[in-house]
Amino acid sequence: MPNPILLLMGVSGSGKTTIGAMLAGRLGWTYAEADDFHPPANVEKMHAGIPLNDDDRRPWLEATARWMRDQTAPAVVTSSALKRKYRDLLREGRPDLRLIYLEGDKDLIGGRLAARHGHFFPKELLDSQFADLEPPGPDEDPVVVSVDGPPDQVVQRIIDRAGLVPNS
């Protein structure tokens, strides 16, 4: 895989941003946070406690997919990518995409969201995230990693399970 893209997916509060940035730093790869690709209307809707629907998510997913297609070097990008059809859209044009599923139960994630400040995603929307979540199946060849533990431990699990080589 000369130019891989790692897509870190999971519900809000699973640690995508923290783990993604740390992983990209350890690997020396480009990093992007898919939340940055949300149109302002989506951010306002989530801030108001209104779950996004598929129509809301489409422009965001398309912008994320464009960013991934434009990469000419290995990269890490984070996105909830909750449904299979979202991941299929993100995978278009990127056969080198590697899916990393950050897995955690509702109690663990809920506790993290309750402690998080300054993020536009309120903890009240967590139920909608778990309702929409379609965990990746074996045919998607995901690397499934528990987020139970400190971020540096989760990053090391990803590196080990995906067979990645950190930047020295």
Side-chain angles (χ1 to χ4, degrees):
M1 245 188 330
N3 184 22
I5 299 286
L6 298 179
L7 172 63
L8 273 64
M9 62 142 311
V11 297
S12 187
S14 60
K16 294 182 300 291
T17 301
T18 300
I19 293 164
M22 286 178 74
L23 179 62
R26 290 269 312 272
L27 297 172
W29 293 9
T30 302
Y31 172 72
E33 164 56 59
D35 279 349
D36 295 341
F37 301 117
H38 271 297
N42 283 7
V43 175
E44 289 172 22
K45 198 170 181 179
M46 288 184 283
H47 208 24
I50 303 168
L52 299 180
N53 60 37
D54 287 353
D55 291 337
D56 296 325
R57 288 185 178 113
R58 186 151 191 90
W60 165 64
L61 292 164
E62 289 171 346
T64 305
R66 267 192 309 279
W67 182 88
M68 290 192 304
R69 283 191 304 271
D70 289 346
Q71 296 314 297
T72 58
V76 174
V77 63
T78 61
S79 171
S80 55
L82 297 174
K83 295 182 181 181
R84 171 68 184 252
K85 66 182 178 181
Y86 302 164
R87 296 187 296 273
D88 289 346
L89 189 154
L90 292 168
R91 192 175 280 113
E92 285 177 16
R94 286 308 313 207
D96 50 1
L97 180 94
R98 188 74 194 270
L99 188 62
I100 312 293
Y101 173 36
L102 301 179
E103 184 179 53
D105 65 32
K106 197 182 284 189
D107 288 338
L108 173 67
I109 303 297
R112 289 182 176 182
L113 284 175
R116 187 162 77 173
H117 300 288
H119 193 275
F120 62 79
F121 190 92
K123 64 180 171 57
E124 293 78 21
L125 290 180
L126 184 60
D127 286 339
S128 72
Q129 291 265 296
F130 275 98
D132 283 349
L133 177 63
E134 297 171 3
D139 63 317
E140 293 180 84
D141 193 28
V143 174
V144 180
V145 178
S146 170
V147 295
D148 188 15
D152 59 326
Q153 192 177 76
V154 176
V155 168
Q156 191 59 52
R157 285 181 200 146
I158 294 168
I159 289 170
D160 293 345
R161 292 185 190 161
L164 302 168
V165 178
N167 199 11
S168 345

